[in-house]
Amino acid sequence: MAAANNDSLVLETPSEVVDARPGSRLMWPVEFVASVLLVAVVGLLLIGVVSRYVLSLPIVWIDEAASISFLWLAMLGAAIAIDRNEHLRLTLFLGLMPERARAFVSTLALVIVAAVLMALIMPAVEYVEEEWYVTSAALNIPMSFRASALVVGLVLMFALAVGHAVRESTLPNLAGAVALVAAFGLLGWHFSPFFLSLGYLNILIFLVCVVALCLLAGVPIAFCFGMGTIAFILFSTHVPVIVLIGRIDEGMSSLILLSVPVFVLLGCVLDATGMGKAIVEFMASLLGHVKAGMSYVLLGSLFLVSGISGSKVSDMATVAPALFPEMKRRGHKPREMIALLATGAAMADTVPPSIVLIVLGSVAGVSIAGLFTSGFVIAMVLLVVLAVLARIKAARENMEGVRRAPLAVVGKALVVAAPALVLPFLIRGAVGGGVATATEVSTIAVLYAIVIGIVLYGGISLRKFYSMLVETAALSGAILLILGTASAMAWSLTQTGFANQLASYMTDLPGGWFSFMLVSIVVFLVLGCVLEGLPAIVLMAPIMFPIAARLGINDIHYSMVIVTAMNVGLMAPPIGIGFYIACKIGDVSPDEAMAAIWPYLGALVVGLLLIAAIPALSTAYL
């Protein structure tokens, strides 16, 4: 994820990590192994697709081998993300602190990360020992070979977190942070009998307040969830911590999630080959001559490019540099361009292959094919409301010297862009039509993009391809660790019985299903601001989807509403992370862009309310 000019405002980004990282020279073997594992996962999935669809000879052990490689890839990738400082975290409030306080809180965040990892290592070892007695169905090997990835990854991350803390902190700050975390642990243990008597109040103390404090302190999101959940389990229940290891493993190991690193890699290939740029240039030749044409091009390009990369950051980084110079020449103000870029990226997040939709399908048990089909339509609804606003705002656009592109230019741009334009429709059609799963399509799309990129778009050097593999492993590890710890936290929340009481309360709301839908919109708007989409989904889906089903709300309809609400929250200042990503990419001050984004967010909210009120928009094409 990208960061703004003021690094205190947003999440860290791979492109801004300095080369002289603590432990980076020692990590190259880990990076190499992770790269090999990523290639192995893609290769195994491709072999599975060919054997199943071409040769009609399914290989039964493929899924098991891919699952084992996937967990190792996730844990090693999470360790690489620790080394590169790429774990997702909110640093807005750190930037508001005085320098001395900020230095101490940054050290405290590292110590909290180390404490979470230390608390999980021994239970993970016990988990591996238990898995030794479980044999895999196809490969007939102990499942501990797979589960050992958890121990190796946790130990690596712990060593790296300690190394960062020692190298980057002064001794007084480090000693103070260790003492503070130790005091928290001792107080929790001492008052454990008291916490046991508090019942649901422990949810507020540990799963809300502790997590929120960690988030404000700049602790990576995965470890915020980890700290809150571990404290909740240790101090207010009799449940052994080893249970959390099982929940983390389960949260990271769904076969549907195999497509996450593959789609992340696809985004990297898109950037490296220039396929996205070809789409942008074609759209510009087609619409650039009309009033508000460049705004339409920006929105249309985000719509199409997102159908290839599945990443908001990749989408914005591909589209903005190609369009912003011409938009400035036509009189568009930089803050307006950023507002359109940010909300356009939010609009496009339902376009397949959206990683958010894949995770939602995995967590909530919703059809991926249905989500992909509906997501395409919902994105079009949001595209229309943003395009209408863009046209209104372009009333004074300077069109001097702008001419319609000759047909020959449009045709040439179409020929160049055509191989790239095929991808989003290939992905949506294959998954939506039930021809292949999202995981299978992701591997085909990567192979297609690499081959087309090499043949038609200039290719990728081996050095660049290796760096893409490492970057994919790190980002995938960071995402999957969030999913694992969020799953553990969601399990802890549901085991208290609180979810059942909440369901009863929500079901009895006056106004029926639409009142529940409005409450859901508010909840996911707020969560989208603070947590970003994936952890919010993993936390809330197990609670909210059963309530929606009880009220007769179609699961695809509800999915579209909450994903759109989260995306609006993600782009909403002053906390929304995506807003600052857009500001960084467009090189515009967040303070300047903040005043301009509200009308665009308002347009998205109008579209969101239409989607919520008219179920047919989400379900008519299923």
Side-chain angles (χ1 to χ4, degrees):
M1 299 299 175
N5 293 329
N6 184 347
D7 289 340
S8 65
L9 289 175
V10 289
L11 304 181
E12 302 293 340
T13 172
S15 63
E16 294 169 344
V17 177
V18 295
D19 292 330
R21 305 186 309 270
S24 58
R25 292 183 180 179
L26 300 177
M27 283 295 289
W28 74 262
V30 177
E31 294 178 350
F32 177 77
V33 172
S35 301
V36 171
L37 286 169
L38 178 57
V39 173
V41 167
V42 175
L44 286 168
L45 294 174
L46 279 173
I47 291 171
V49 170
V50 172
S51 67
R52 184 177 294 113
Y53 293 104
V54 178
L55 304 178
S56 298
L57 294 171
I59 303 175
V60 295
W61 54 265
I62 286 285
D63 285 348
E64 277 190 10
S67 177
I68 293 170
S69 302
F70 177 62
L71 185 60
W72 277 93
L73 169 65
M75 295 307 296
L76 295 182
I80 295 169
I82 287 276
D83 180 50
R84 295 178 166 216
N85 199 23
E86 292 179 19
H87 276 279
L88 309 184
R89 64 193 185 104
L90 183 67
T91 56
L92 171 66
F93 298 98
L94 278 177
L96 302 177
M97 297 179 184
E99 186 174 347
R100 290 183 62 183
R102 184 164 62 244
F104 174 75
V105 173
S106 297
T107 301
L108 178 62
L110 287 169
V111 172
I112 290 173
V113 169
V116 170
L117 293 165
M118 185 170 62
L120 292 176
I121 287 173
M122 286 312 299
V125 172
E126 295 175 21
Y127 183 74
V128 171
E129 291 173 350
E130 288 190 0
E131 289 289 284
W132 180 261
Y133 300 102
V134 181
T135 302
S136 66
L139 293 173
N140 200 31
I141 60 174
M143 292 299 288
S144 56
F145 285 105
R146 176 185 170 282
S148 297
L150 295 166
V151 175
V152 173
L154 290 171
V155 170
L156 270 174
M157 285 188 280
F158 174 74
L160 290 165
V162 170
H164 273 287
V166 170
R167 289 179 176 89
E168 299 173 11
S169 310
T170 63
L171 185 58
N173 281 347
L174 185 58
V178 171
L180 189 58
V181 173
F184 172 77
L186 289 173
L187 286 172
W189 174 77
H190 179 74
F191 288 103
S192 182
F194 171 71
F195 290 131
L196 285 168
S197 68
L198 293 181
Y200 291 152
L201 193 57
N202 287 310
I203 295 174
L204 178 63
I205 294 171
F206 296 110
L207 300 184
V208 177
C209 292
V210 170
V211 171
L213 288 173
C214 289
L215 193 66
L216 297 179
V219 177
I221 293 173
F223 299 97
C224 294
F225 294 158
M227 175 57 81
T229 308
I230 290 169
F232 177 77
I233 292 296
L234 284 178
F235 304 145
S236 67
T237 75
H238 296 295
V239 176
V241 178
I242 189 175
V243 175
L244 295 186
I245 299 295
R247 300 283 74 78
I248 290 172
D249 183 8
E250 184 179 318
M252 298 173 68
S253 301
S254 169
L255 285 177
I256 295 175
L257 297 178
L258 278 168
S259 58
V260 171
V262 186
F263 277 130
V264 172
L265 178 60
L266 181 59
C268 292
V269 173
L270 170 70
D271 288 339
T273 58
M275 294 175 74
K277 184 179 178 183
I279 292 176
V280 174
E281 290 176 350
F282 167 66
M283 294 288 294
S285 69
L286 199 63
L287 297 172
H289 62 281
V290 302
K291 182 78 79 171
M294 296 308 291
S295 296
Y296 299 155
V297 171
L298 188 148
L299 292 172
S301 298
L302 285 170
F303 183 93
L304 290 172
V305 170
S306 67
I308 303 174
S309 72
S311 163
K312 286 186 289 294
V313 179
S314 177
D315 301 345
M316 292 190 286
T318 299
V319 171
L323 297 181
F324 276 15
E326 176 63 15
M327 292 180 76
K328 287 181 180 177
R329 192 194 70 77
R330 296 192 186 189
H332 289 260
K333 296 179 180 178
R335 63 176 182 267
E336 297 285 341
M337 291 155 46
I338 292 299
L340 190 62
L341 178 69
T343 50
M347 165 272 296
D349 204 37
T350 61
V351 179
S354 166
I355 292 174
V356 171
L357 294 184
I358 294 168
V359 172
L360 178 58
S362 171
V363 173
V366 183
S367 163
I368 300 291
L371 290 173
F372 276 20
T373 300
S374 181
F376 220 77
V377 178
I378 293 306
M380 289 182 182
V381 173
L382 299 175
L383 174 66
V384 168
V385 296
L386 286 174
V388 169
L389 178 61
R391 178 62 181 84
I392 293 171
K393 285 186 166 285
R396 298 181 181 179
E397 183 176 359
N398 177 18
M399 301 295 292
E400 183 180 349
V402 177
R403 298 287 183 272
R404 181 192 296 268
L407 192 59
V409 173
V410 176
K412 181 180 178 180
L414 175 59
V415 170
V416 174
L421 284 168
V422 168
L423 257 181
F425 300 99
L426 169 69
I427 292 168
R428 194 210 71 79
V431 179
V435 176
T437 67
T439 303
E440 292 166 343
V441 169
S442 68
T443 58
I444 296 169
V446 164
L447 180 63
Y448 173 89
I450 291 174
V451 171
I452 293 298
I454 291 173
V455 175
L456 299 180
Y457 293 97
I460 307 170
S461 68
L462 287 177
R463 181 183 295 273
K464 176 64 176 176
F465 187 67
Y466 176 75
S467 68
M468 286 162 47
L469 293 175
V470 175
E471 182 178 334
T472 298
L475 182 55
S476 301
I479 290 172
L480 292 165
L481 190 62
I482 288 175
L483 298 184
T485 55
S487 296
M489 183 172 169
W491 176 86
S492 301
L493 187 60
T494 55
Q495 293 306 302
T496 62
F498 173 75
N500 292 330
Q501 290 207 2
L502 180 64
S504 299
Y505 171 75
M506 290 282 204
T507 305
D508 295 333
L509 283 173
W513 71 270
F514 194 68
S515 293
F516 170 72
M517 196 70 90
L518 292 177
V519 171
S520 297
I521 287 173
V522 173
V523 168
F524 282 95
L525 275 171
V526 173
L527 289 176
C529 282
V530 177
L531 291 181
E532 216 253 344
L534 297 178
I537 282 175
V538 180
L539 280 177
M540 298 304 296
I543 298 173
M544 304 297 274
F545 270 82
I547 305 173
R550 188 181 302 182
L551 291 168
I553 300 173
N554 181 278
D555 56 359
I556 299 291
H557 177 211
Y558 190 64
S559 298
M560 292 301 108
V561 171
I562 65 171
V563 169
T564 304
M566 283 189 309
N567 289 333
V568 175
L570 183 68
M571 298 300 173
I575 299 178
I577 297 164
F579 168 72
Y580 296 103
I581 296 174
C583 290
K584 171 61 180 178
I585 290 172
D587 195 24
V588 174
S589 164
D591 293 337
E592 181 183 354
M594 196 174 295
I597 199 171
W598 298 112
Y600 295 91
L601 289 175
L604 284 181
V605 170
V606 169
L608 172 58
L609 293 175
L610 287 173
I611 294 163
I614 308 173
L617 291 173
S618 303
T619 60
Y621 298 91
L622 299 180

